[in-house]
Amino acid sequence: MGSPASTEDRSSEIYGLIGLFFLSILSLLIFRISGLEFPPVWPDEVLFYSPSLDFAKNGLFRTEVLEGLVKGMETKTLWMPPVFFLLNGWVLKFWGEGLEVLRLFAAILSVASVWVFWFILKTFDYSPIARLGASLLLFTDLLFLRVGWTARMEALCLFWALLSLLVLARKAKWKGDIPLQQYEAFLSGSFLGISFLSHPFGAIFGVPALLLIHQAKAWKAWMFWLGGALPILAWGIWIHPDWGIFFYQFGAQFGRKKDLFQSFSPITKIKVLLGGYESPGLRLFFYLALAYGLWVVRGEIKDKPKSAFFFSAWTVSILFFLILSTEYYYVMYLCIPLSALGGFFFERIRSRRVQFIAAILVFSNIAILVNAYKRIGFGNPEFDLKDRFYEVLGPELKGSKKMYLQAIPDPYFHIRKEYPNLKVLEFIPGELPIPKEDFIQTLDSIDTFVFSDRQKRNEFVQAYLEENSSKFRKFRITAEPSTLRKVANVEAEVYRRR
């Protein structure tokens, strides 16, 4: 017969898991309500959907929406590692076509990541209420939802990386008393390698992984390195026949990152950290409250120095890489260790002062969500900006044979449905260093260009339109949602060849 304390611990664990289950269901229900309006359909999603669909249908990796714009895309997509395209291709093959399918897959992966996060916190001796509080901070984080519900690589990359850390954390808890077995090390390394092949930013998780290996006194677990190397070796074998295309496409991505890093000021980099939130001021308030709260619970932190050091070092490593990458999507990864640090407050939730700080953190997140609801239709089934935009744009495309599209929300899927014979090319990212000689002839074959306002255009595309202005009829279109609150709208500039 168990002691009353152990019975109470089991009850707390069960109640915590029930709470996590309901948070997960609530998250998926809100995702279902939000549909394709939140986040709005992003051009990046079309760029990644195209090779995934091509793999599902033809077993290839062509990005048809960049054909003639980025060299080699009509043959093979090599500007990103292949795991994301492979898995999404299988999802499309068995679950059916459509962006909704890939977004649902991403949302499920995001929820699964929170569950893995829960068990990682358990290895660091977080109480069930602290784990539930940390998970609540994740589930109410606008950027975690915004990126996690998008058909991009971040959710998949995060899932594999957290699995890798979980395998290591289970043994790090024992400080080498129970050795990390070689098969466990191989499994962890393989998960980390797959995370990198889902998105190169997965490399940042090598820092917390090495910290856990050190904590577990497992430096002799050489199978970790082998497990991580095998996926990368497989990637090298896969791209070997197309080295020229790979260096062109993948190199262009690194060139873009380099240019952004050199051109962005420190203030701009701070804006990137806040840019995924519709209320940067509220998010900054969240960070200040978190910093103050950590000082308040410094006694609790001293009682758990291993946890505090690990999640703090993890946070610093991500911040360092974020300064290098300058992409607000990647700030999603920062939500994980910050939520873990926020979990410290819920350990002492009976304290009035700690209750106040925890309430501020949750309130800040919820306030940002409410503001997003008002501005961009988050969780509002009546918000229809995407459909209203296409209602205005669609008639203007009659008779067009080939178009260049750079719009948010992206009407690509509407266009493909109504105009199946219209060749749609997606935008060249404005910062991608591609010589104009490689795509200028393609521009001559395009009869329609569509640009949303406030989107940075490729300088050569813009120069082409200005130099050939007499050959185009230029006009503007605008659309608003049909809801009473019309705080969001979309304006676009259209060029039709005469």
Side-chain angles (χ1 to χ4, degrees):
M1 185 174 178
S3 66
S6 63
T7 301
E8 183 178 348
D9 289 343
R10 284 196 297 269
S11 298
S12 298
E13 190 73 27
I14 292 172
Y15 290 143
L17 286 171
I18 291 173
L20 181 61
F21 173 78
F22 279 108
L23 284 177
S24 303
I25 295 299
L26 181 61
S27 173
L28 291 175
L29 285 175
I30 297 176
F31 163 78
R32 182 64 178 172
I33 293 173
S34 299
L36 295 181
E37 296 294 351
F38 177 85
V41 179
W42 215 255
D44 289 6
E45 293 181 280
V46 179
L47 295 178
F48 304 144
Y49 178 87
S50 181
S52 300
L53 182 63
D54 192 60
F55 175 71
K57 286 185 171 182
N58 308 308
L60 302 173
F61 286 88
R62 298 171 300 186
T63 306
E64 294 183 349
V65 294
L66 289 177
E67 182 179 346
L69 295 177
V70 179
K71 188 186 298 182
M73 286 294 184
E74 69 281 355
T75 304
K76 206 169 188 179
T77 301
L78 295 173
W79 69 346
M80 292 295 295
V83 168
F84 178 81
F85 303 134
L86 281 167
L87 286 182
N88 278 283
W90 284 109
V91 169
L92 292 172
K93 188 177 184 68
F94 291 107
W95 288 2
E97 299 178 19
L99 184 62
E100 299 92 337
V101 175
L102 295 188
R103 281 199 169 186
L104 175 59
F105 181 51
I108 292 172
L109 284 173
S110 297
V111 170
S113 292
V114 179
W115 279 79
V116 178
F117 174 65
W118 170 280
F119 288 106
I120 290 175
L121 294 182
K122 185 177 181 179
T123 67
F124 282 90
D125 296 323
Y126 277 62
S127 68
I129 187 64
R131 279 176 265 155
L132 189 61
S135 300
L136 177 63
L137 291 177
L138 267 184
F139 275 127
T140 56
D141 191 299
L142 175 69
L143 190 61
F144 183 79
L145 301 179
R146 185 174 194 165
V147 178
W149 289 354
T150 306
R152 283 178 51 96
M153 293 85 170
E154 285 76 16
L156 183 63
C157 174
L158 178 64
F159 174 71
W160 292 116
L162 291 180
L163 278 181
S164 172
L165 298 183
L166 176 61
V167 174
L168 295 175
R170 291 174 64 251
K171 289 302 174 67
K173 177 180 181 179
W174 302 105
K175 302 179 182 180
D177 296 336
I178 301 178
L180 180 71
Q181 300 299 316
Q182 293 293 353
Y183 81 89
E184 295 173 315
F186 179 81
L187 194 62
S188 176
S190 298
F191 286 150
L192 191 58
I194 295 172
S195 174
F196 176 80
L197 291 194
S198 300
H199 192 284
F201 208 78
I204 66 168
F205 293 95
V207 175
L210 292 178
L211 290 174
L212 291 174
I213 287 176
H214 175 72
Q215 181 66 33
K217 299 179 180 179
W219 289 108
K220 294 182 180 180
W222 58 272
M223 290 291 284
F224 173 82
W225 310 101
L226 178 62
L230 284 180
I232 298 175
L233 178 62
W235 183 35
I237 294 172
W238 184 65
I239 63 179
H240 179 263
D242 304 285
W243 277 115
I245 297 177
F246 170 74
F247 280 116
Y248 182 91
Q249 296 181 6
F250 205 73
Q253 286 277 60
F254 272 97
R256 175 174 177 262
K257 302 297 184 187
K258 178 184 176 182
D259 292 343
L260 288 175
F261 176 72
Q262 293 176 339
S263 62
F264 279 17
S265 67
I267 297 298
T268 303
K269 293 179 186 295
I270 293 174
K271 289 180 179 179
V272 169
L273 294 177
L274 303 172
Y277 299 91
E278 296 298 311
S279 308
L282 276 173
R283 187 58 182 180
L284 184 60
F285 180 66
F286 174 94
Y287 291 142
L288 294 174
L290 179 64
Y292 172 70
L294 290 174
W295 182 82
V296 168
V297 297
R298 60 192 182 279
E300 182 73 28
I301 293 175
K302 290 179 181 178
D303 293 337
K304 293 185 176 182
K306 181 184 72 171
S307 303
F309 174 77
F310 174 74
F311 290 112
S312 298
W314 187 355
T315 300
V316 171
S317 68
I318 292 180
L319 281 172
F320 174 76
F321 277 94
L322 287 176
I323 291 173
L324 295 178
S325 66
T326 58
E327 291 272 2
Y328 92 77
Y329 284 109
Y330 307 155
V331 183
M332 174 207 191
Y333 299 122
L334 188 62
C335 303
I336 308 300
L338 287 182
S339 296
L341 291 172
F344 279 120
F345 307 133
F346 295 87
E347 292 282 9
R348 288 178 50 193
I349 201 64
R350 293 180 181 179
S351 164
R352 287 293 182 89
R353 188 159 58 156
V354 173
Q355 287 176 4
F356 179 71
I357 296 169
I360 287 177
L361 296 179
V362 176
F363 170 79
S364 298
N365 276 357
I366 293 177
I368 292 171
L369 290 177
V370 170
N371 185 63
Y373 168 82
K374 293 192 298 183
R375 286 176 58 103
I376 51 179
F378 172 68
N380 183 357
E382 297 178 356
F383 190 88
D384 58 354
L385 183 59
K386 170 177 61 68
D387 294 334
R388 292 297 295 271
F389 176 44
Y390 184 71
E391 287 178 10
V392 179
L393 175 63
E396 303 293 345
L397 302 179
K398 289 181 178 178
S400 179
K401 293 181 174 58
K402 194 173 187 179
M403 71 178 297
Y404 179 99
L405 180 62
Q406 182 177 355
I408 301 173
D410 197 310
Y412 171 83
F413 295 95
H414 278 300
I415 295 171
R416 295 298 301 146
K417 183 177 180 180
E418 186 168 346
Y419 299 102
N421 296 322
L422 173 58
K423 178 70 174 179
V424 181
L425 299 180
E426 284 287 334
F427 78 119
I428 305 172
E431 306 88 355
L432 209 60
I434 295 178
K436 66 177 181 179
E437 293 78 17
D438 292 352
F439 60 83
I440 198 70
Q441 289 184 339
T442 300
L443 299 185
D444 287 332
S445 66
I446 295 172
D447 54 44
T448 306
F449 293 80
V450 178
F451 301 93
S452 282
D453 277 1
R454 300 182 295 276
Q455 297 299 308
K456 183 176 181 179
R457 306 179 190 180
N458 180 277
E459 59 177 325
F460 298 127
V461 175
Q462 181 62 30
Y464 172 85
L465 292 172
E466 292 173 357
E467 292 168 3
N468 295 275
S469 59
S470 61
K471 299 178 182 179
F472 289 92
R473 178 173 63 91
K474 177 183 173 182
F475 57 95
R476 299 182 62 82
I477 58 175
T478 184
E480 294 180 331
S482 57
T483 52
L484 294 177
R485 282 187 172 272
K486 300 185 184 299
V487 292
N489 70 332
V490 59
E491 295 183 0
E493 206 167 63
V494 181
Y495 294 79
R496 280 298 302 264
R497 198 175 291 272
R498 298 181 187 276

